[in-house]
Amino acid sequence: AAEQFGVLSLDELCACGLDRQAVSVRVRRGILHRLHRGVYAVGHPNPPWEGHLLAAVKACGPGAVLSHMSAAMLWEFVEPDEDRYPEVTVIGAGTRVRRGLRVHRTVDLADRDRRRTQGISLTSPARTLLDIAVRLDGRPLRSAVRRAQGMGSVNVRQICEVIARLGPRKGSRRLATIVAEGPAPTRTVLEDVVLDLLLAGGFARPDVNQPLRVEGRRLVPDFRWPEQRLIVEADSRAWHDGKLAREDDAERQALLEASGERVVRVTWEQAIARPAQTLARLRAAGGPIAE
């Protein structure tokens, strides 16, 4: 149980030497806590969020996988929402409803569309993006695709392969359109916001997270226009707060500027609350306008 977020199925409990009566006794004593039919939390009724996701998959039987928005959250393509019902995909045409779960059904789920992370079976990154394209559109879907690419979880070839293999379906055209636009692989929400601000402000599309070698050190600017030798860094407090992080930022900036690059930093407040001022700063710094 400790290796599975404190969650075990009835079959696993029986494999440990318990029978159904022994399980019932432990439920009455508060040692086991029923999460779903045939799935229990050991010792306490509140496993972590990942435990609830694993319990949802176990409740739907062998072959079930976490999918759609739940899989996207576990892959970290979208922000987690722990109040959302877990979504699971199962193979078959049955109509059985699982209370507290959102169950999707498919006639087939290829091995290449399955993965396992943190001990939880779930859809592959490419299949997950195709599934969530049914519900997301525009900026939210583009953000999820960018983040998936930025994390190295998926590439354009893999996304195109799953679209072509599974054929026309809800969401496939949306996802294909996003891929055709060449979504740049961002790594954080703030990078997403800043990139959208740059493009909406009429600037040429910059290079995104492209490594540079400066004095033997590998540096990865958030955004860069090579011809102008102009870099834009998205300053997120999550990554840039604290003495060591600030010192590292200062050292990186010094190296970049010594090599002839110019660096403009954009914070959350500047990107969200003062977009016009931020765009004016970038124009003054020589940011190229799209033709």
Side-chain angles (χ1 to χ4, degrees):
E3 296 174 356
Q4 300 188 79
F5 307 105
V7 173
L8 292 177
S9 68
L10 179 60
D11 287 343
E12 289 170 322
L13 289 167
C14 290
C16 293
L18 303 181
D19 57 21
R20 289 177 180 270
Q21 182 178 356
V23 170
S24 297
V25 169
R26 284 161 176 77
V27 170
R28 289 196 298 270
R29 291 178 177 174
I31 298 171
L32 296 175
H33 303 267
R34 186 179 184 273
L35 299 176
H36 301 285
R37 183 177 179 182
V39 183
Y40 302 87
V42 180
H44 57 85
N46 297 308
W49 176 65
E50 294 86 352
H52 283 286
L53 299 182
L54 179 59
V57 174
K58 288 179 181 290
C60 292
V65 293
L66 197 71
S67 65
H68 294 75
M69 293 301 293
S70 295
M73 292 174 195
L74 193 61
W75 283 123
E76 298 182 4
F77 300 162
V78 299
E79 294 300 307
D81 179 0
E82 298 187 9
D83 294 328
R84 192 185 189 101
Y85 277 0
E87 295 186 73
V88 178
T89 290
V90 300
I91 298 174
T95 58
R96 186 173 184 179
V97 175
R98 292 279 184 175
R99 186 177 181 181
L101 303 178
R102 185 167 184 174
V103 180
H104 305 269
R105 301 189 181 278
T106 183
V107 296
D108 185 37
L109 190 66
D111 288 344
R112 71 182 76 179
D113 291 331
R114 297 172 177 268
R115 293 289 190 279
R116 193 173 184 85
T117 184
Q118 300 185 58
I120 303 172
S121 296
L122 74 169
T123 47
S124 68
R127 176 62 185 263
T128 299
L129 291 174
L130 181 59
D131 287 341
I132 66 174
V134 175
R135 231 167 290 160
L136 299 184
D137 197 3
R139 179 178 291 181
L141 181 59
R142 186 167 64 249
S143 176
V145 174
R146 285 176 179 170
R147 203 178 303 186
Q149 288 185 275
M151 295 169 62
S153 300
V154 71
N155 56 41
V156 171
R157 178 185 59 79
Q158 292 167 330
I159 298 173
C160 291
E161 186 277 332
V162 78
I163 293 173
R165 175 165 50 86
L166 297 180
R169 57 170 53 204
K170 289 183 178 180
S172 60
R173 180 172 293 184
R174 290 179 182 176
L175 183 59
T177 300
I178 295 292
V179 173
E181 292 174 353
T186 55
R187 297 172 296 182
T188 67
V189 176
L190 179 57
E191 284 185 17
D192 242 14
V193 170
V194 172
L195 180 56
D196 283 339
L197 178 65
L198 296 177
L199 299 180
F203 289 100
R205 181 180 289 263
D207 289 345
V208 181
N209 293 318
Q210 293 296 311
L212 292 177
R213 183 68 64 174
V214 179
E215 294 187 14
R217 181 172 172 181
R218 183 177 183 272
L219 304 177
V220 184
D222 295 335
F223 308 104
R224 180 175 182 255
W225 289 290
E227 186 175 340
Q228 289 74 24
R229 303 198 72 178
L230 177 61
I231 288 171
V232 179
E233 292 279 38
D235 263 348
S236 169
R237 179 172 295 181
W239 299 107
H240 299 270
D241 205 16
K243 184 174 183 293
L244 292 178
R246 290 193 297 270
E247 289 177 353
D248 185 61
D249 282 344
E251 181 183 358
R252 289 174 71 255
Q253 182 160 339
L255 286 172
L256 289 166
E257 291 176 341
S259 70
E261 303 284 338
R262 288 171 298 150
V263 180
V264 177
R265 294 190 172 277
V266 178
T267 65
W268 264 111
E269 183 181 357
Q270 290 166 343
I272 300 297
R274 299 200 294 274
Q277 181 189 85
T278 301
L279 292 173
R281 287 173 58 212
L282 293 169
R283 292 189 197 101
I289 303 301
E291 298 180 358

